[in-house]
Amino acid sequence: MNQNKSTLRNKVDDAAPIRPKTVKNMINSLLDVVPLKIDHLMLATARDEKTIVVEEFNKLRSTVIALTKGDKFLNTIMVTSTASEEGKSMTALNLAISLAKEQDHTVLLVDTDLRRPSVHKYLDINPKVGLVHCLRDNLPIEKALIKTGVGKLVILPAGEAVRDPLDMLSSNRMKEIVHELKDRYPERYVIFDTPPSHPFADAGVLASFLDATLFVVREGKANKDDVVKALEEFKDHNLLGVVYNDARVFFKTTSGYYYDYD
């Protein structure tokens, strides 16, 4: 998809307080978009197919909703892992899509893996701006949001890669953005795809001002001691649970990946 098409999908939000009628209009506007054509094999939830993988992500969705709905709605959730290539971005995307197709929620997926942003690649879009521009250049958030037409899913892409984004992610501006995204709409989940927790401090910083953490572990990828250490670090950040990915004891998809959820 070219840049112009991505630009036309922008301008989702503004800064005014949200009223129930406005929320309904906003939801209608999210649905009134030509859906992105998502061809990536691992984004199973984007397709209208009833497969075992989709069913497992729907179970994950139900678990997340059960754990985050209560007296206080824990709607800002980060998805991270110990090391790279454990499937955290795919998990974040599939969970976000599954939630967005559910009747009661809108979903915003934020690519905060500024070192190696990937959400836009999986969706085959080429946005001109993103979170980096909101942080560095004070670009209004609504200028960087992209409606996908896939359920009620909106994307805030990274915009560009940053070699050392820790100062950006720990800044007051980032805290302001998180606060705005959290409170902007009722019943909205905001999913943050973050860098791996090791060796970077980015995920730990973000966890300190998000509501909850979902941890992805890919079988045979990260060192067991590193996983235990990482989970210990995140236990004080409302760790919802662990998504156990690429588990070879159950079943195999056509791509060679295996899934189980814990």
Side-chain angles (χ1 to χ4, degrees):
M1 178 172 291
N2 61 33
Q3 293 181 350
N4 290 335
K5 288 185 179 179
S6 294
T7 303
L8 289 174
R9 294 175 180 271
N10 291 345
K11 301 182 181 178
V12 179
D13 295 314
D14 55 38
I18 298 301
R19 299 175 180 176
K21 186 175 180 180
T22 307
V23 171
K24 183 177 180 180
N25 291 339
M26 183 273 294
I27 291 175
N28 289 336
S29 75
L30 294 181
L31 297 173
D32 189 24
V33 175
V34 177
L36 292 175
K37 184 179 180 182
I38 300 176
D39 294 324
H40 200 288
L41 183 62
M42 296 307 297
L43 292 180
T45 55
R47 297 182 290 276
D48 293 325
E49 300 174 359
K50 295 194 176 189
T51 65
I52 298 176
V53 174
V54 171
E55 181 60 27
E56 291 301 315
F57 274 111
N58 289 343
K59 290 178 183 177
L60 177 62
R61 175 192 68 196
S62 298
T63 300
V64 168
I65 292 173
L67 292 173
T68 55
K69 285 293 190 76
D71 294 336
K72 181 181 179 182
F73 182 28
L74 306 177
N75 65 325
T76 56
I77 303 170
M78 63 174 283
V79 181
T80 191
S81 60
T82 303
S84 61
E85 299 181 4
E86 292 201 75
K88 65 172 182 59
S89 296
M90 282 299 181
T91 300
L93 272 159
N94 276 298
L95 173 60
I97 293 169
S98 182
L99 283 165
K101 287 186 172 183
E102 201 257 348
Q103 184 174 355
D104 296 332
H105 303 99
T106 62
V107 181
L108 173 59
L109 176 61
V110 186
D111 193 345
T112 53
D113 191 349
L114 302 185
R115 298 174 189 271
R116 294 178 62 186
S118 61
V119 169
H120 67 288
K121 295 178 183 178
Y122 292 129
L123 296 177
D124 193 25
I125 57 177
N126 189 21
K128 292 180 178 180
V129 295
L131 177 61
V132 168
H133 302 85
C134 298
L135 291 168
R136 184 186 62 205
D137 306 326
N138 285 320
L139 180 76
I141 296 172
E142 64 270 15
K143 301 294 184 182
L145 298 178
I146 298 173
K147 293 187 285 187
T148 67
V150 180
K152 300 178 288 296
L153 177 65
V154 177
I155 302 295
L156 176 53
E160 63 183 61
V162 177
R163 186 167 186 174
D164 186 3
L166 185 58
D167 286 345
M168 279 187 179
L169 295 175
S170 60
S171 67
N172 287 331
R173 174 60 177 154
M174 184 65 198
K175 294 177 183 177
E176 291 170 358
I177 288 174
V178 169
H179 180 75
E180 179 176 346
L181 296 179
K182 175 176 176 59
D183 297 334
R184 183 79 180 109
Y185 294 106
E187 304 303 323
R188 169 190 267 179
Y189 277 102
V190 188
I191 309 295
F192 293 79
D193 178 27
T194 76
S197 60
H198 289 175
F200 308 115
D202 307 16
V205 167
L206 287 167
S208 67
F209 43 85
L210 298 179
D211 292 330
T213 301
L214 193 63
F215 208 86
V216 178
V217 175
R218 182 177 180 184
E219 184 176 304
K221 184 62 180 178
N223 177 276
K224 180 180 177 181
D225 291 339
D226 289 341
V227 172
V228 172
K229 182 179 178 181
L231 291 174
E232 184 69 19
E233 291 172 357
F234 283 94
K235 73 177 184 179
D236 294 327
H237 295 297
N238 196 12
L239 182 62
L240 296 179
V242 174
V243 177
Y244 191 48
N245 189 28
D246 204 10
R248 290 169 173 80
V249 293
F250 289 101
F251 63 89
K252 184 176 181 180
T253 70
T254 55
S255 66
Y257 277 71
Y258 303 70
Y259 291 86
D260 183 35
Y261 299 93
D262 203 6

